[in-house]
Amino acid sequence: MPESLLTILKLCALALLYLFFLRVLRAVWAEVSSTRGVAVAARPAPAPDPARASRRGPGRRQRGSSQLTVVEPPELEGRSFELADELTVGRAAGCQVTLEDNYVSQLHARIFRRDGMLFVEDLGSTNGTYLNTRKVSSPVALNRGDRLKIGSTVLELA
Amino acid sequence: MIPVVRRNTELGLILLAITITAATYTLASLATTADLPADIGPFLGVVLALLAGAHVATRRLAPAGDGVLLPIAGLLNGLGYVWIARLDEELAALQATWTAVGILAFVVTLAVVRRPRDLERYRYTFMLAGVGLLLLPLLPVVGKTVNGARIWVELGPISFQPGEFAKIILAVFFASYLVDKREVLGMAANRLGPVTLPELRHFGPVVLAWAASLLVMTAQRDLGSSLLFFALFVVMLWVATERASYLVVSGLLFSGGAFVAWRLFDHVQRRIAVWLDPWSDVSDQGFQVVQATFALAWGGVAGTGPGLGNPDRIPLIETDFIFAAIGEELGLLGSVGVLVAYLLMVGAGLRIALRAEVPFNKLLATGLTAILGIQSFIIIGGVTRLVPLTGITLPFVSYGGSSLIANYILLALLIRISDDNAAAEPDALA
């Protein structure tokens, strides 16, 4: 096999290699530029960051909403929990809001304040967290009057 | 929309990667035997079957997962195989088997780990498993010393390097530990001039990781892995706490440890001496590095062509030094191509970490990506004499069963996290 032909074939193989990289870059670019607008619109707020939130320290009590009141089950109705800058909800004793409910996971959800807004985040619970019947899959902002369904317990933000 | 686009991208890129692998394989054969490779049919069939299998698995199990990671890994794996096959046919047959097992591990990982956060729950089990694996080679009966490093475990007919798996398991542990502790770790307690330092007792885990990496380094004589473990933990600590002071303190700790090791141990001294001046002992200690330098230089811009170089004169060419073989036969263009491939993988990994909303996912993706990037840097830097040489495999390219399987598991975890990210953004999918 003549050497020049081998050289040409080698250069073709190298060209293919770089074509591969170009196509990878094009795919990445297409994705980044098409999801950018949607992603910003889809997220109510930048990704929550507990480290930063806690560094800012407590003391920034915000207007209005400051209490979670149990709506269901009836035997616990009216029981309420004060909202702090961050609290966890679950069956475990270490949670700030402990719910004696078999449908609640040990560590079920987290409610936290960020930029003056309250957010709820599911922490990988088995039965999920629902905000006004919508399943919470990423941190979602809470408003006064919203209902949170955690296990079979329903809490209302007042 | 995203799942379909991503999977179609993946399929297209996989086909291109297979074309490149097959073309290089054919070229190597044309150059050495002036004939098409006898087994080109079965070769194509196997490569196609393996990557198609992995692709079907992502379609089924992680439809919205990242679409560029698998093709790049497949390309690196394929190119590595071409050179292993060209250098040693026996190893090539084994490497093909390991690739199959690796892809199987990839599919199994995707099938078992349905949600990344499931991993978070077994934090301390992972810690014990990771440390256990790391220390396993030191046990008297099963541990085995190969080429001066005690990093092998031999159980009956199977021998493997547990450290390759320990790196992933420890990344999972670090991620869950740091998600839990990052608030205390991020708090500033002491002020030392311009640097604020967190409370000293929170440095406990760092000191522990530092001590463990030194232990591995001294007891197993495995410099590359100890550097990898330490760097992995420091990177994750830094990302979790957003405190650059950890980088400074850890850097000082590592320099201190490295200096002491240099003073105390011959093998460290030899590595450094060879790095600074390999020419002073060309025929013995410096032989490998000098030959690699010659190989890269001989390759020039476009290389000698696959099959036309003499990389077989470099010891350990199929494992630690495979980069030099590619550099010789595909030249600067080919070796830069390998670097670009790692760069794109690291980019994809960091993009997954940026998109992740769950802190654990974010940290785990960062850690896994860091493993890939740091490991490639350590070995390519060693081969090109940028840093002292420390034997470690080049991910996906080098010969080695443990390494391939572990890297495919790592890949599956990254793809799983990116699939999870897409699921958390339902609006972006609509």
Side-chain angles (χ1 to χ4, degrees):
Chain A
M1 180 135 300
E3 213 172 291
S4 52
L5 184 60
L6 279 177
T7 309
I8 291 169
L9 287 176
K10 175 187 74 188
L11 292 176
C12 292
L14 283 169
L16 271 183
L17 183 67
Y18 282 87
L19 177 71
F20 176 88
F21 294 139
L22 278 179
R23 290 198 44 186
V24 170
L25 280 177
R26 215 181 56 187
V28 170
W29 179 250
E31 200 172 285
V32 170
S33 51
S34 75
T35 51
R36 194 186 286 141
V38 190
V40 170
R43 282 178 216 165
D49 181 348
R52 192 175 289 157
S54 73
R55 208 176 298 147
R56 201 172 47 214
R60 287 225 317 193
R61 280 289 120 82
Q62 237 67 30
R63 50 178 182 154
S65 347
S66 61
Q67 258 194 350
L68 275 178
T69 314
V70 177
V71 183
E72 275 176 48
E75 59 267 29
L76 286 177
E77 198 181 329
R79 206 172 136 197
S80 64
F81 302 94
E82 285 293 314
L83 285 176
D85 272 355
E86 174 166 348
L87 49 79
T88 47
V89 185
R91 200 144 46 89
C95 293
Q96 281 83 16
V97 176
T98 316
L99 298 173
E100 303 288 340
D101 175 345
N102 285 336
Y103 293 95
V104 173
S105 298
Q106 290 291 337
L107 187 59
H108 196 110
R110 185 168 79 106
I111 297 169
F112 57 98
R113 216 182 279 273
R114 186 181 167 79
D115 299 329
M117 303 254 287
L118 276 171
F119 289 88
V120 63
E121 179 187 20
D122 187 76
L123 297 175
S125 65
T126 314
N127 294 315
T129 302
Y130 294 83
L131 174 63
N132 302 329
T133 70
R134 252 195 93 166
K135 187 162 185 172
V136 176
S137 51
S138 57
V140 189
L142 288 173
N143 293 308
R144 186 188 272 266
D146 277 348
R147 288 194 166 197
L148 268 180
K149 185 159 181 276
I150 292 173
S152 57
T153 308
V154 178
L155 300 156
E156 192 181 86
L157 188 69
Chain B
M1 274 307 283
I2 282 186
V4 179
V5 172
R6 282 184 165 174
R7 293 283 73 79
N8 291 346
T9 307
E10 186 176 84
L11 184 60
L13 288 172
I14 282 177
L15 291 177
L16 191 52
I18 293 175
T19 313
I20 296 168
T21 308
T24 323
Y25 189 66
T26 313
L27 259 178
S29 168
L30 280 178
T32 45
T33 65
D35 213 345
L36 289 176
D39 58 347
I40 185 72
F43 174 79
L44 265 178
V46 169
V47 175
L48 202 64
L50 285 175
L51 286 175
H55 174 67
V56 169
T58 54
R59 265 190 198 265
R60 288 272 165 118
L61 299 167
D66 187 276
V68 303
L69 282 170
L70 181 63
I72 301 177
L75 175 74
L76 288 170
N77 195 175
L79 286 181
Y81 178 84
V82 169
W83 266 276
I84 294 165
R86 174 213 169 319
L87 293 162
D88 188 333
E89 283 182 11
E90 255 174 64
L91 282 188
L94 283 170
Q95 180 79 345
T97 315
W98 295 134
T99 306
V101 179
I103 299 244
L104 190 69
F106 174 86
V107 177
V108 169
T109 309
L110 279 182
V112 171
V113 186
R114 300 313 284 260
R115 293 190 311 179
R117 59 179 64 134
D118 291 344
L119 295 172
E120 199 178 352
R121 305 190 171 182
Y122 307 107
R123 178 180 311 168
Y124 292 104
T125 316
F126 277 119
M127 183 189 75
L128 287 177
V131 172
L133 280 176
L134 206 54
L135 299 178
L136 208 54
L138 293 176
L139 294 181
V141 184
V142 291
K144 199 170 64 155
T145 305
V146 177
N147 293 330
R150 198 179 169 87
I151 53 175
W152 286 87
V153 165
E154 206 173 34
L155 287 172
I158 311 163
S159 55
F160 66 106
Q161 291 185 351
E164 293 284 348
F165 300 98
K167 65 186 186 188
I168 299 176
I169 291 176
L170 284 178
V172 174
F173 162 67
F174 287 164
S176 54
Y177 175 83
L178 290 170
V179 164
D180 208 36
K181 295 279 190 285
R182 65 180 185 171
E183 297 187 28
V184 275
L185 289 167
M187 225 121 59
N190 304 320
R191 205 165 260 284
L192 234 167
V195 240
T196 49
L197 292 176
E199 242 182 286
L200 276 180
R201 68 191 164 97
H202 297 315
F203 270 113
V206 195
V207 176
L208 214 66
W210 174 65
S213 72
L214 281 188
L215 182 77
V216 174
M217 179 160 142
T218 53
Q220 304 183 349
R221 302 181 144 226
D222 186 7
L223 302 174
S225 298
S226 62
L227 181 57
L228 176 63
F229 281 114
F230 191 71
L232 168 68
F233 188 52
V234 172
V235 166
M236 292 182 73
L237 197 57
W238 175 47
V239 172
T241 59
E242 301 173 51
R243 298 238 148 227
S245 59
Y246 278 117
L247 284 184
V248 178
V249 173
S250 312
L252 290 176
L253 276 180
F254 188 79
S255 326
F259 182 74
V260 171
W262 176 65
R263 293 300 296 269
L264 289 180
F265 302 107
D266 303 350
H267 69 285
V268 181
Q269 268 172 23
R270 274 203 303 276
R271 292 288 174 87
I272 302 277
V274 165
W275 172 53
L276 292 174
D277 184 12
W279 307 99
S280 61
D281 194 6
V282 172
S283 56
D284 185 25
Q285 294 294 335
F287 184 74
Q288 199 180 20
V289 171
V290 166
Q291 290 301 326
T293 312
F294 279 142
L296 290 171
W298 187 238
V301 174
T304 59
L308 293 176
N310 294 304
D312 37 352
R313 67 177 69 236
I314 309 173
L316 290 181
I317 186 70
E318 297 92 355
T319 52
D320 295 356
F321 273 74
I322 196 143
F323 184 75
I326 297 178
E328 178 172 1
E329 301 198 335
L330 281 184
L332 182 67
L333 289 172
S335 42
V336 167
V338 173
L339 290 179
V340 171
Y342 286 115
L343 205 60
L344 289 172
M345 283 186 105
V346 169
L350 291 180
R351 229 169 32 247
I352 292 170
L354 278 176
R355 288 262 175 92
E357 303 247 334
V358 183
F360 173 75
N361 290 2
K362 200 183 258 307
L363 263 182
L364 183 59
T366 312
L368 296 175
T369 309
I371 291 178
L372 211 56
I374 294 168
Q375 190 168 342
S376 324
F377 172 80
I378 290 177
I379 185 59
I380 295 180
V383 171
T384 54
R385 225 155 64 74
L386 179 70
V387 294
L389 176 69
T390 51
I392 200 165
T393 55
L394 187 58
F396 296 107
V397 182
S398 288
Y399 168 76
S402 311
S403 164
L404 256 187
I405 297 167
N407 284 316
Y408 270 112
I409 293 176
L410 187 154
L411 199 70
L413 289 177
L414 276 177
I415 290 178
R416 169 55 72 217
I417 294 173
S418 93
D419 183 55
D420 205 52
N421 289 348
E425 287 174 26
D427 295 351
L429 289 173

